[in-house]
Amino acid sequence: MRAIRCLDYGPIDDLVLDEIASPEVRPGTVKVRVRAAGVNYVDTLIVQGGYQVRTPTPFTPGWECVGDILEVADDVARDAPQLAPGTRVLVASGEGAYADETIAPAHAVTPVPDGISDGVAATFVQSYMTAVFALRHRARAERGQSMLVIGAGGGVGLAAVDVGVMMGLRVFAAASSEEKRQLALDRGAEAAFDVRDDDIKAAVRELMAQEGKTGVDLVYDPVGGEQAETWLRSLGDNGQFLVIGFVGGIPSLPLNHVLLRNRQVTGVEWGSWVGKHRAENDALLVEVMQLIAAGTLRPVEPTEYPLERTVDALRDLAERRAAGKLVVVP
Ligand SMILES: NC(=O)c1ccc[n+]([C@@H]2O[C@H](COP(=O)([O-])OP(=O)(O)OC[C@H]3O[C@@H](n4cnc5c(N)ncnc54)[C@H](OP(=O)(O)O)[C@@H]3O)[C@@H](O)[C@H]2O)c1
């Protein structure tokens, strides 16, 4: 079978398309024929050895995918009858998705209901589960609150816009291109600002002043970098800065601006929470899939790349050209 291989940690361009033996089913695992694999920023970190967890090389990257079950281990057939061969499932195992076939622990494999396309099923888990976890569990966001989403036309940001709107928040989006801003507006953002040009802090403060507030209630920041301080200062009284990711670099935030107005900075690490709350996460995943199937949540249909162009997909994401989500199709 064909697979994208990371032979050694290094630049995305070092990834190779190779022919390797189909992985063998071991106890507790499921083998899946991949229909589509989601492209996430974290994949670019993993192949460069820049992620918290380092997968031993050589390996096949690809954090999540959708496909059909080919084979299951005997213990899986006995303990998880819903994972029968032929079932369309999503796989969120953290590796192995950029290939014709992949193998994953049964706990990372979930049947996908009808009404969710392959493209959406392959791309929503990381972005939407992070958004629901962040807004419900970490921020304890409430209807009527306001939220500024940074990188709002990227995977994680766009999901936060969608989930925020569903929860009844007033959502403001910041993104670098017209196409990305339009995606956020289409998902219900009230206003979308140009992250490169607009004075977003002044604009959101002015909007919030109309309801007697000193700034926004929440900032959702998957980007970080030098602008993070400006976003912190966009928060009003008791405002909360959600630390989601650092595609633009790890910022240093001045604590005096956390003290002012009684602000809070809240870390969000969905992955480590999943490890300790597997049953709760499984229930949340089913709930999110139901909301998508019902059309209440509306993940964007991804742009497709063939497997042999996986590097181009990862490069487009890393170089800020991707609007919405990207998917690799074997
Ligand atoms: N905390 C958690 O539990 C959790 C879970 C999942 C993912 N994450 C993190 O969330 C972050 C976003 O992931 P993603 O898959 O949504 O990525 P993405 O689709 O590429 O979106 C990231 C956005 O960042 C913006 N950006 C600003 N500076 C950039 C730069 N120098 N290079 C690339 N993009 C830049 C881009 O928006 P503009 O061009 O509009 O500025 C881009 O759309 C990653 O750091 C990931 O590790 C965190």
Side-chain angles (χ1 to χ4, degrees), residues 4-50:
I4 298 293
R5 301 290 284 166
C6 176
L7 303 176
D8 226 333
Y9 294 127
I12 298 164
D13 290 328
D14 288 357
L15 293 172
V16 292
L17 177 65
D18 209 353
E19 276 290 334
I20 59 169
S22 177
E24 277 182 26
V25 169
R26 299 179 305 276
T29 67
V30 173
K31 190 199 276 196
V32 170
R33 177 178 292 121
V34 177
R35 290 180 181 222
V39 180
N40 289 293
Y41 191 84
V42 72
D43 295 327
T44 69
L45 299 178
I46 290 171
V47 303
Q48 294 177 79

Side-chain angles (χ1 to χ4, degrees), residues 40-42 45 126 130 151 153-156 175-176 180 195 222-223 244-248 268-271 317-318 320 322:
N40 289 293
Y41 191 84
V42 72
L45 299 178
Q126 192 176 114
T130 300
V156 166
S176 65
K180 291 180 181 183
V195 77
V223 177
I244 307 292
F246 310 111
V247 292
V268 176
E269 195 190 11
W270 169 64
L317 192 81
R320 229 168 155 172

Side-chain angles (χ1 to χ4, degrees), residues 177-255:
S177 73
E178 193 64 46
E179 189 185 5
K180 291 180 181 183
R181 290 192 288 277
Q182 192 56 51
L183 283 174
L185 291 169
D186 290 346
R187 257 135 212 91
E190 188 175 316
F193 302 102
D194 186 340
V195 77
R196 288 184 155 134
D197 289 334
D198 293 344
D199 185 348
I200 299 176
K201 175 164 67 83
V204 293
R205 276 188 175 175
E206 203 178 308
L207 281 164
M208 296 319 297
Q210 292 165 11
E211 46 174 275
K213 288 186 170 177
T214 48
V216 288
D217 297 307
L218 298 165
V219 163
Y220 193 96
D221 186 8
V223 177
E226 283 178 4
Q227 284 181 299
E229 180 179 338
T230 308
W231 313 138
L232 175 66
R233 295 170 67 176
S234 308
L235 287 167
D237 286 75
N238 304 308
Q240 201 177 160
F241 186 108
L242 298 169
V243 182
I244 307 292
F246 310 111
V247 292
I250 299 174
S252 298
L253 292 175
L255 289 179

